[in-house]
Amino acid sequence: MAYNGEGHKFFCINCGKESIPIFRKAGKEKEKFMEEYKEYMADHPNAGIVQMDTVYNDVSNGPFVQTFKFVRFPFFFALFHQTKTSADMVAGVNTLESILGHDLFNEHVEVLLTDRGGEFSAADNLEYRPDGTRRTRVFYCD
């Protein structure tokens, strides 16, 4: 998924089709759609956006590479995983945060954009640190 720089349109990196990010609030709160996302971005126009995805040759056997593309500047980070579970993806976000440090992570990973793959289903654990503090906001594409 890529931001086209005009308004709030996003395009799937894989197929090039326009996508609508969906904000998944943590816990039992309902998913929020494009209108809430636009409101968030209007209130936070300088939010650091990172696109997160998983790359693989064989969907069931791996290996798997979790990717992080920083939209604001040309930086791409990837982590190797033997399995493609939601726990692996949370561990990847934890690793990214430990490398960047708390302050840089807060500044540059305010928003995580990803697809609706099952490996990204642990939105609560992606959005919140183990101590319960918020670290990012997760938006999913349709």
Side-chain angles (χ1 to χ4, degrees):
M1 183 176 46
Y3 177 58
N4 74 352
E6 298 176 17
H8 296 280
K9 293 182 182 178
F10 290 82
F11 297 88
C12 177
I13 290 172
N14 298 322
C15 69
K17 292 181 181 176
E18 186 172 351
S19 299
I20 299 173
I22 298 170
F23 177 55
R24 163 80 162 71
K25 290 201 72 162
K28 297 179 181 180
E29 298 180 47
K30 68 177 185 167
E31 291 183 350
K32 291 190 173 185
F33 294 92
M34 185 56 127
E35 203 53 44
E36 288 83 359
Y37 176 76
K38 286 180 181 179
E39 289 173 13
Y40 183 82
M41 292 307 294
D43 291 340
H44 305 89
N46 297 317
I49 301 170
V50 173
Q51 299 168 349
M52 179 175 61
D53 206 350
T54 308
V55 179
Y56 48 85
N57 284 327
D58 183 338
V59 68
S60 57
N61 296 316
F64 305 95
V65 179
Q66 182 179 11
T67 63
F68 299 91
K69 167 63 178 94
F70 289 70
V71 173
R72 186 177 292 163
F73 43 84
F75 181 70
F76 180 87
F77 179 75
L79 291 168
F80 184 85
H81 297 285
Q82 290 294 337
T83 57
K84 187 180 78 162
T85 66
S86 59
D88 291 322
M89 301 303 113
V90 170
V93 172
N94 292 341
T95 299
L96 178 64
E97 183 174 19
S98 70
I99 290 169
L100 292 176
H102 184 80
D103 292 339
L104 281 177
F105 189 91
N106 285 349
E107 181 180 350
H108 297 293
V109 192
E110 185 174 342
V111 172
L112 274 174
L113 298 175
T114 191
D115 60 37
R116 290 179 161 263
E119 70 271 28
F120 301 121
S121 63
D124 290 355
N125 294 328
L126 294 168
E127 290 185 335
Y128 291 90
R129 294 178 178 90
D131 69 3
T133 59
R134 180 182 287 279
R135 66 170 152 201
T136 191
R137 285 167 172 74
V138 177
F139 291 82
Y140 295 96
C141 281
D142 274 341

